């Protein structure tokens, strides 16, 4: 089969006026992290406000001996802007059908796994059960299939979620701005889209088919979501898929330029590392060690002090706990990455393996033991102030 050009939009994909794409790619193409020295890192650590070059230095190998200094500064900034708060949420996968062939993901359309999709009644039961744990924020996820999980289906799921939760995030296929606006009207508040890698050549080689292959449409998803009135957007690359330092730099620059263009947008980072999944050999995985991941998280905090940083259940419990209050401000709890699974058996296989299966109550008490404060909601909805709900 002839491969499509990843720079060519498909029919019905909205194209927006934006210079963010060129700005980010031009910065990344000239980023040579081997050029940074001790003095560049020390200089960045002395500043109150970092510029992109300082950020680049903190992501470089030259910053590795300075992790302790970076962590201390990061902790002070995290406390200044977020206090002791650690925001909790959980994901709910409502469908794992996918039209894309991403070679690193268990949901890819060529992978023979158990596929499933929750009915609205099943979604309601899952949501109700999750809400009984005390959580007030939920992230609704689907595989990327417009056919199996269309906008109306996702919209109905969001409306149901709004009856139990004060904050609704979505991690679904990228949409046009008017579709984001529709889901915002249904009750969605923020949008998570991972670019996976900002290296176009690599991107093309790992997205073999499906709409996701169109690189710039995915890149502009956060801007379209903000044009569709979402209050927040999340950025992330799948670290380990390509050169993680370059991808981490690109992600930071992407968030930075979007923040400058949309100053009131709430910006978040997620830092997934590539994980084993069903029918995949672990030895093929290009790993990024915990020290490297921690360095990236610290560099994000120092560069963008107001941005929320989520620590994934892909990571081990001890590492997740260690990042709290130092740089991470948000974490998932009571996580199931199959379709459904909070009430009955999962209806579709998992996307990847998780490393931290702790319940909401366990995470809650761990946060308190660290002298931090679990926070369940910090968002005012159309129904009124829900408040900084804490147990
Ligand atoms: S990464 Fe997303 S789009 Fe790609 S196969 Fe997995 S679920 Fe589908």
């Amino acid at each position: 089969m002839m491969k499509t050009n990843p720079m060519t939009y498909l029919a019905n994909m909205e194209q927006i006026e934006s210079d963010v794409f060129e700005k980010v790619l031009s910065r990344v193409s000239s980023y040579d992290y081997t050029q940074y020295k001790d003095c560049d890192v020390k200089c960045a650590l002395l500043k109150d406000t970092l510029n992109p070059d300082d950020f680049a230095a903190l992501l470089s190998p030259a910053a590795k001996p300075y992790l302790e200094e970076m962590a201390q500064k990061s902790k002070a900034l995290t406390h200044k802007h977020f206090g002791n708060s650690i925001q909790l949420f959980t994901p709910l996968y409502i469908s794992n059908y996918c039209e894309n062939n991403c070679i690193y993901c268990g949901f890819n359309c060529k992978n023979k796994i158990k596929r499933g999709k929750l009915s609205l009644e099943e979604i309601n039961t899952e949501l109700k059960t999750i809400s009984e744990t005390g959580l007030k924020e939920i992230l609704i996820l689907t595989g990327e299939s417009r056919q199996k999980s269309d906008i109306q289906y996702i919209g109905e799921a969001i409306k149901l979620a709004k009856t139990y939760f004060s904050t609704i995030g979505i991690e679904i296929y990228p949409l046009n701005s008017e579709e984001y606006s529709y889901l915002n009207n249904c009750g969605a508040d923020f949008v998570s889209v991972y670019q996976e890698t900002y290296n176009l050549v690599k991107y093309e080689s790992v997205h073999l088919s499906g709409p996701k292959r169109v690189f710039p449409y995915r890149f502009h998803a956060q801007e379209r979501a903000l044009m569709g009135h979402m209050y927040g957007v999340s950025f992330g690359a799948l670290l380990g898929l390509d050169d993680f330092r370059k991808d981490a730099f690109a992600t930071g620059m992407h968030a930075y330029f979007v923040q400058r263009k949309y100053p009131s947008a709430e910006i978040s980072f997620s830092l997934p590392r590539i994980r084993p999944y069903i029918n995949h050999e672990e030895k093929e995985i290009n790993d990024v060690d915990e020290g490297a991941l921690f360095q990236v998280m610290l560099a994000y905090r120092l560069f963008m002090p107001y941005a929320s940083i989520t620590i994934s259940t892909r990571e081990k419990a001890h590492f997740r706990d260690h990042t709290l209050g130092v740089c991470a401000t948000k974490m998932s709890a009571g996580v199931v990455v199959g379709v459904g699974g909070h009430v009955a058996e999962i209806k579709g296989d998992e996307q990847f393996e998780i490393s931290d299966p702790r319940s909401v109550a366990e995470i809650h008490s761990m946060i308190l033991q660290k002298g931090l404060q679990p926070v369940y909601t910090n968002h005012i909805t159309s129904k009124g102030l829900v408040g900084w709900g804490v147990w």
Side-chain angles (χ1 to χ4, degrees):
M1 194 172 70
M2 224 189 44
K3 293 267 185 318
T4 54
N5 181 342
M7 289 300 290
T8 307
Y9 282 74
L10 304 180
N12 304 323
M13 285 183 170
E14 180 185 15
Q15 299 192 41
I16 61 169
E17 292 281 324
S18 175
D19 58 357
V20 174
F21 185 85
E22 281 73 26
K23 282 179 170 170
V24 171
L25 266 58
S26 130
R27 288 274 186 171
V28 177
S29 68
S30 60
Y31 179 39
D32 177 0
Y33 50 75
T34 63
Q35 298 301 305
Y36 291 90
K37 306 267 181 299
D38 241 31
C39 54
D40 301 311
V41 177
K42 282 183 184 162
C43 174
L45 282 170
L46 286 174
K47 292 186 180 176
D48 286 333
T49 305
L50 271 57
N51 63 35
D53 202 44
D54 299 319
F55 175 52
L58 294 183
L59 284 172
S60 74
K64 272 162 69 175
Y66 294 91
L67 282 193
E68 185 54 39
E69 285 94 326
M70 285 172 72
Q72 279 179 21
K73 192 160 182 185
S74 174
K75 188 174 180 179
L77 280 172
T78 303
H79 189 262
K80 181 176 174 188
H81 296 293
F82 294 87
N84 286 333
S85 308
I86 302 296
Q87 209 167 328
L88 296 182
F89 74 101
T90 209
L92 173 63
Y93 285 75
I94 60 173
S95 168
N96 67 358
Y97 289 96
C98 191
E99 294 163 10
N100 293 309
N101 186 2
C102 312
I103 64 171
Y104 51 82
C105 174
F107 282 2
N108 84 64
C109 60
K110 303 286 182 200
N111 201 19
K112 299 213 179 325
I113 59 164
K114 184 175 161 194
R115 303 277 171 182
K117 171 182 169 181
L118 300 182
S119 66
L120 292 179
E121 195 181 332
E122 288 168 329
I123 291 172
N124 190 51
T125 312
E126 291 279 324
L127 291 168
K128 184 166 183 297
T129 302
I130 294 167
S131 73
E132 285 163 5
T133 64
L135 289 174
K136 287 286 173 195
E137 176 172 333
I138 193 136
L139 179 66
I140 293 178
L141 297 98
T142 64
E144 298 199 6
S145 173
R146 274 183 180 268
Q147 215 187 347
K148 293 283 189 180
S149 328
D150 61 24
I151 298 292
Q152 283 66 35
Y153 168 69
I154 296 169
E156 292 309 309
I158 291 168
K159 286 181 198 166
L160 286 172
K162 212 63 187 176
T163 64
Y164 299 103
F165 297 90
S166 57
T167 307
I168 319 281
I170 50 171
E171 194 176 314
I172 59 170
Y173 45 89
L175 305 175
N176 292 342
S177 55
E178 63 185 30
E179 295 171 316
Y180 280 124
S181 180
Y182 168 73
L183 294 186
N184 178 252
N185 285 332
C186 291
D189 301 295
F190 68 89
V191 171
S192 228
V193 180
Y194 298 108
Q195 189 64 27
E196 319 296 12
T197 176
Y198 288 79
N199 175 347
L200 179 58
V201 175
K202 181 73 180 189
Y203 189 93
E204 182 176 5
S205 73
V206 295
H207 299 106
L208 302 182
S209 62
K212 187 170 177 179
R213 196 169 153 79
V214 183
F215 183 82
Y217 184 68
R218 193 169 192 87
F219 183 97
H220 288 300
Q222 285 90 351
E223 279 201 63
R224 294 193 306 275
L226 294 170
M227 289 161 65
H229 315 296
M230 296 288 178
Y231 83 73
V233 284
S234 182
F235 297 80
L238 185 55
L239 299 177
L241 192 56
D242 194 49
D243 183 328
F244 81 89
R245 291 185 200 279
K246 284 202 150 207
D247 274 335
F249 180 65
T251 307
M253 294 314 303
H254 191 180
Y256 172 80
F257 286 123
V258 168
Q259 180 82 92
R260 284 165 72 107
K261 193 166 170 185
Y262 303 87
S264 63
E266 187 175 299
I267 301 292
S268 312
F269 290 109
S270 293
L271 298 94
R273 288 192 295 170
I274 203 158
R275 293 286 298 150
Y277 62 83
I278 296 171
N279 304 333
H280 187 82
E281 292 288 321
E282 187 164 3
K283 62 180 162 45
E284 294 171 31
I285 289 171
N286 167 19
D287 212 1
V288 178
D289 66 29
E290 283 182 354
L293 180 61
F294 193 46
Q295 182 183 350
V296 175
M297 294 178 80
L298 296 173
Y300 284 165
R301 170 61 62 235
L302 298 181
F303 183 48
M304 294 187 64
Y306 305 102
S308 161
I309 299 179
T310 301
I311 181 71
S312 164
T313 38
R314 292 168 185 247
E315 304 306 332
K316 294 190 181 78
H318 77 90
F319 180 75
R320 297 183 89 209
D321 299 358
H322 179 66
T323 64
L324 293 184
V326 176
C327 43
T329 51
K330 190 166 177 176
M331 80 191 305
S332 46
V335 171
V336 178
V337 291
V339 177
H342 293 272
V343 182
E345 288 214 337
I346 60 165
K347 225 176 154 181
D349 279 335
E350 294 91 346
Q351 189 177 23
F352 54 83
E353 293 174 10
I354 61 172
S355 296
D356 183 2
R358 287 175 293 176
S359 68
V360 175
E362 287 169 318
I363 294 278
H364 180 99
S365 57
M366 174 276 293
I367 293 171
L368 288 178
Q369 275 166 21
K370 287 180 72 74
L372 298 169
Q373 178 65 61
V375 169
Y376 288 79
T377 183
N378 65 351
H379 186 52
I380 300 169
T381 71
S382 54
K383 289 176 170 179
L385 175 65
V386 182
W388 284 83
V390 294
W391 272 2

